[in-house]
């Protein structure tokens, strides 16, 4: 990272080039058409200006070919923007399978970033180069926005909800992290940095980082401490659904609907179990809304996700 002035931030991720290409296309189209319009307005204003002997406009003969052209051409150019943008959007928001996960909790005015292995960081995120990293993010208070210009990613971070985005860094270095949503007095100070490291450096950093045990392990303690394991025993005749292999699978609900058990579903089912009742079960589970903070929720979600991995392919019943 150098601090010299530049119009465009450096390109630090695999998606940066694609985003820039689309941006340049938009710039080019806007520039060409603005220039065209200004040139024509001025040319015609001069050419057809009122002067003695030419007081009235001549009759204009319709030219269908020209009229079709100025409808079809802008339409085609806009369609290119739409298709290009939509494809890029899908690529940016769908993390590749096997991406490393990092949990982000935003609060006024700091970023807390947690690795599944247990180490957590404040306003700093260390990641290995050339590995996709998926961020699962939530806020403890107001809306923030996770913005890393060099990676061309910006995603709002909302209270009571998980949002996610991913990136893959292409070279080691330090990249600024900013908050891109006005969130109060010290919004402008809500900054940090992403430190991209080579694999050996990252391994070393990871082994030195202080850790209180993996998120899933702490989650298991919470799971027992809150009494969840009393009902979610995993037995066939248990009062509560089996949680092994749940994450990523399709869940059949009362009333015939079904949902995919993603992070948002796990979160909702912990906080407000009655929102979605699993088919064949009674609404017995206590409501945990207001009793768990975001950090604990992330630990529980990480634990539930670890159960799916142990069971192998999560989407196979
Ligand atoms: Cu957080 Cu602006």
């Amino acid at each position: 990272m150098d601090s010299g002035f530049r119009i465009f931030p450096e390109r630090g991720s695999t998606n940066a080039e694609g985003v820039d290409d689309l941006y340049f296309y938009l710039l080019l189209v806007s520039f060409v058409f603005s220039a065209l319009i200004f040139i024509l307005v001025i040319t015609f204003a001069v050419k057809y200006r009122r002067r003695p002997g030419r007081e009235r406009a001549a009759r204009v003969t319709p030219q269908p070919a020209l009229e079709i052209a100025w409808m079809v051409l802008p339409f085609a150019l806009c369609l290119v923007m739409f298709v290009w943008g939509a494809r890029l959007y899908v690529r940016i928001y769908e993390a590749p399978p096997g991406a490393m996960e990092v949990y982000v909790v935003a609060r006024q005015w700091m970023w807390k970033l947690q690795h599944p292995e247990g180490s957590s960081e404040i306003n700093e995120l260390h990641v290995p180069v050339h590995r996709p990293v998926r961020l699962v993010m939530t806020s403890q208070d107001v809306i923030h926005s996770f913005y890393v210009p060099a990676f061309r990613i910006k995603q709002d971070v909302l209270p009571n909800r998980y949002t996610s985005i991913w990136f893959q860094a292409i070279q080691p270095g330090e990249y600024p992290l900013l908050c891109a949503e006005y969130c109060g007095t010290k919004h402008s100070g809500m900054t940090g940095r992403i430190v991209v490291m080579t694999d050996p450096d990252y391994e070393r950093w990871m082994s030195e980082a202080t850790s209180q045990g993996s998120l899933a392990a702490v989650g298991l303690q919470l799971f027992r401490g809150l009494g969840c394991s009393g009902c979610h025993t995993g037995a066939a005749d248990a009062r509560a659904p089996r949680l092994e292999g749940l994450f990523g699978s399709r869940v059949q609900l009362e009333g015939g609907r079904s949902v995919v058990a993603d992070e948002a579903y796990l979160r909702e089912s912990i906080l407000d179990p009655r929102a979605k009742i699993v088919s064949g079960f009674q609404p017995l589970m206590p409501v945990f809304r207001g009793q768990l903070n975001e950090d604990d929720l992330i630990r529980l979600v990480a634990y539930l996700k670890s159960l799916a991995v142990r069971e192998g392919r999560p989407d196979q019943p």
Side-chain angles (χ1 to χ4, degrees):
M1 185 184 87
D2 64 65
S3 50
F5 175 79
R6 49 174 92 213
I7 294 175
F8 293 101
E10 62 190 315
R11 293 173 179 173
S13 78
T14 49
N15 282 330
E17 202 179 329
V19 173
D20 283 359
D21 289 347
L22 177 60
Y23 185 69
F24 289 134
Y25 171 75
L26 297 176
L27 267 186
L28 185 75
V29 170
S30 314
F31 181 78
V32 167
F33 278 87
S34 306
L36 191 70
I37 289 166
F38 274 92
I39 291 169
L40 290 180
V41 164
I42 294 166
T43 316
F44 289 163
V46 173
K47 193 173 171 195
Y48 299 110
R49 70 186 184 280
R50 193 186 211 189
R51 55 199 139 165
R54 271 179 63 178
E55 285 294 332
R56 244 172 292 167
R59 189 179 171 73
V60 180
T61 44
Q63 295 185 37
L66 189 65
E67 290 186 21
I68 288 169
W70 77 47
M71 282 188 275
V72 170
L73 208 69
F75 178 68
L77 288 170
C78 288
L79 216 56
V80 170
M81 287 174 198
F82 169 72
V83 174
W84 193 347
R87 291 174 58 127
L88 201 59
Y89 180 89
V90 170
R91 202 171 87 201
I92 291 174
Y93 283 87
E94 291 252 325
M100 171 186 146
E101 286 191 330
V102 173
Y103 296 88
V104 180
V105 178
R107 62 187 68 141
Q108 286 166 324
W109 288 275
M110 55 173 263
W111 299 101
K112 183 174 181 190
L113 303 115
Q114 298 178 82
H115 296 261
E117 294 84 357
S119 44
S120 68
E121 309 185 60
I122 302 292
N123 294 339
E124 252 188 4
L125 174 63
H126 290 73
V127 290
V129 69
H130 302 312
R131 283 254 304 272
V133 178
R134 178 170 177 258
L135 303 165
V136 179
M137 310 189 285
T138 189
S139 164
Q140 250 179 24
D141 35 51
V142 299
I143 300 176
H144 303 271
S145 186
F146 192 94
Y147 179 34
V148 185
F151 296 168
R152 310 292 192 273
I153 56 168
K154 186 195 280 173
Q155 170 63 51
D156 278 6
V157 180
L158 306 157
N160 298 316
R161 185 184 313 188
Y162 289 136
T163 53
S164 81
I165 196 158
W166 75 279
F167 64 86
Q168 180 172 337
I170 52 177
Q171 57 179 331
E174 287 184 15
Y175 305 92
L177 158 66
L178 308 168
C179 177
E181 179 69 50
Y182 182 68
C183 55
T185 317
K186 291 185 190 149
H187 155 72
S188 61
M190 195 171 161
T191 57
R193 59 189 186 138
I194 312 281
V195 183
V196 177
M197 310 169 98
T198 59
D199 274 329
D201 282 351
Y202 180 72
E203 296 301 330
R204 199 169 322 121
W205 177 84
M206 204 31 133
S207 64
E208 283 166 7
T210 49
S211 164
Q212 343 139 298
S214 75
L215 285 181
V218 182
L220 171 60
Q221 286 168 19
L222 267 172
F223 187 79
R224 293 200 179 121
L226 293 165
C228 315
S229 48
C231 295
H232 292 279
T233 57
D237 59 347
R239 277 176 293 173
R242 204 175 128 84
L243 302 173
E244 286 79 4
L246 168 66
F247 181 70
S249 69
R250 192 160 268 284
V251 180
Q252 208 59 44
L253 300 178
E254 280 295 328
R257 278 196 309 143
S258 70
V259 287
V260 172
D262 54 8
E263 285 115 355
Y265 170 79
L266 297 181
R267 179 197 171 86
E268 182 188 54
S269 295
I270 295 167
L271 292 178
D272 187 11
R274 270 147 227 224
K276 295 192 175 71
I277 300 292
V278 178
S279 171
F281 288 92
Q282 296 295 315
L284 297 172
M285 180 169 153
V287 171
F288 283 91
R289 186 172 293 286
Q291 299 186 41
L292 293 166
N293 61 31
E294 294 299 339
D295 290 333
D296 284 346
L297 268 170
I298 282 171
R299 292 177 184 125
L300 282 171
V301 168
Y303 167 64
L304 296 178
K305 286 167 75 172
S306 75
L307 294 176
V309 177
R310 246 174 269 160
E311 293 286 305
R313 287 288 307 277
D315 45 353
Q316 301 298 315

